[in-house]
Amino acid sequence: MKLSIKPKKQSYEIVFGRYLFQRIADESKKDKKYAIITDSNIKDIYATKLKGLLDKKGIKNHILVFKAGEKSKNIETCLKIIDSLSKLRYNRNDVIMALGGGVVGDMAGWIASNYLRGIDYIQIPTTIVAQADSSIGGKTAINTKFGKNLIGAFKQPIKVYIDVDTIKGIDETNLSSGLAETIKHAVIQDKKFFNYLNNNMDKILNKDPESLLELAKQNCKIKGKIVKKDPYEKNIRVIVNYGH
Ligand code: GLY
């Protein structure tokens, strides 16, 4: 006998917009719990706001916070968060929300791919780098003493919300690294987008919301096309690692 097993294909929606936190709360479900994993920089700016909106809708949720920075991206910090999920009795019906930049996304995704052998997670990226690159494509990882991103898995989020208003708060360094990532995407894949960047750089540097929306959409279009062709980085996907 020959048996063929074909797991369902994964696809997920990326929602682009402004002031999306109310929509996130509206689309959350009463029969699930939501763990908002975030860092100490984002907690007071966005996590408490999202928590308030979920509370108002009667949706059970918890903020699980760690100290901001790459130094936290390790197994000890993740195990502490996993212990909190266990104490709060999160099960496979529940959902993790990764609210923050690339470090938060990588760690929350890593936890989502390991806790109970995997639970759903949503990406809510709050930096340009995370909105352009790391929240798309399901790479999750943590560091070990031997190097960066040495333990991880490919696990796609169930949804991504890109709220360009979260970019208002980022500093110059974050803005520059986000734009570097964006220019790289344009250079490797899209001449028209490169010209758009050239002609609109002043507006982008002033964080004009319409330009940031265009930036996010084009970045995700480019990254999405590459991830679709090569989800597990066997060949073409390595081009988006250029410069990392
Ligand atoms: N950050 C590179 C990738 O997702 O492949």
Side-chain angles (χ1 to χ4, degrees):
M1 189 183 92
K2 213 168 130 191
L3 202 65
S4 151
I5 298 172
K6 278 196 186 150
K8 250 196 347 206
K9 274 201 179 151
Q10 286 166 317
S11 72
Y12 50 95
E13 188 190 359
I14 306 173
V15 180
F16 300 92
R18 303 184 62 186
Y19 315 116
L20 288 180
F21 282 62
Q22 184 61 56
R23 175 164 174 179
I24 299 171
D26 290 344
E27 290 180 356
S28 298
K29 309 234 164 32
K30 281 220 166 80
D31 63 342
K32 293 180 182 293
K33 293 198 287 292
Y34 291 83
I36 306 166
I37 298 184
T38 194
D39 70 24
S40 49
N41 287 341
I42 296 297
K43 182 178 168 271
D44 292 335
I45 317 176
Y46 300 119
T48 44
K49 180 177 165 187
L50 182 55
K51 180 169 184 31
L53 294 169
L54 289 167
D55 286 345
K56 222 166 158 185
K57 297 218 78 137
I59 293 163
K60 285 193 204 84
N61 70 91
H62 306 88
I63 296 176
L64 304 178
V65 63
F66 63 86
K67 190 165 179 266
E70 185 76 26
K71 268 196 179 156
S72 292
K73 207 173 122 176
N74 55 45
I75 199 148
E76 290 79 17
T77 313
C78 286
L79 285 179
K80 273 190 201 151
I81 295 172
I82 285 174
D83 284 349
S84 301
L85 292 172
S86 299
K87 278 185 204 149
L88 294 163
R89 298 185 178 276
Y90 272 71
N91 63 41
R92 247 190 239 132
N93 179 51
D94 299 326
V95 180
I96 283 173
M97 288 173 160
L99 176 63
V103 171
V104 171
D106 280 5
M107 285 171 70
W110 188 88
I111 292 165
S113 67
N114 284 286
Y115 182 64
L116 302 178
R117 300 194 180 96
I119 72 170
D120 287 343
Y121 77 111
I122 292 170
Q123 287 275 17
I124 312 168
T126 60
T127 62
I128 297 187
V129 174
Q131 295 188 352
D133 178 49
S134 55
S135 69
I136 313 297
K139 269 190 182 173
T140 79
I142 56 173
N143 306 331
T144 75
K145 62 181 178 195
F146 292 101
K148 264 171 74 82
N149 299 332
L150 290 186
I151 341 177
F154 289 93
K155 179 177 172 64
Q156 304 297 335
I158 56 166
K159 198 152 183 170
V160 183
Y161 291 95
I162 296 190
D163 183 335
V164 294
D165 275 287
T166 60
I167 300 304
K168 271 192 282 190
I170 66 170
D171 59 21
E172 289 287 309
T173 314
N174 260 306
L175 183 64
S176 308
S177 32
L179 292 182
E181 204 59 33
T182 302
I183 293 165
K184 178 187 84 182
H185 277 165
V187 168
I188 60 179
Q189 289 285 299
D190 192 332
K191 190 173 169 189
K192 219 169 116 195
F193 184 36
F194 186 81
N195 290 335
Y196 171 85
L197 293 174
N198 238 343
N199 297 332
N200 291 277
M201 199 39 87
D202 282 349
K203 283 204 259 177
I204 295 166
L205 288 171
N206 285 322
K207 299 180 185 164
D208 162 59
E210 288 312 312
S211 311
L212 291 177
L213 264 176
E214 183 61 19
L215 206 77
K217 285 179 189 166
Q218 294 304 327
N219 271 321
C220 290
K221 211 161 106 188
I222 292 168
K223 176 84 189 271
K225 213 163 88 184
I226 294 167
V227 168
K228 211 166 145 188
K229 276 192 201 149
D230 181 21
Y232 299 109
E233 198 174 291
K234 302 266 191 230
N235 46 66
I236 186 77
R237 184 164 173 172
V238 289
I239 62 171
V240 285
N241 293 339
Y242 177 53
H244 285 190

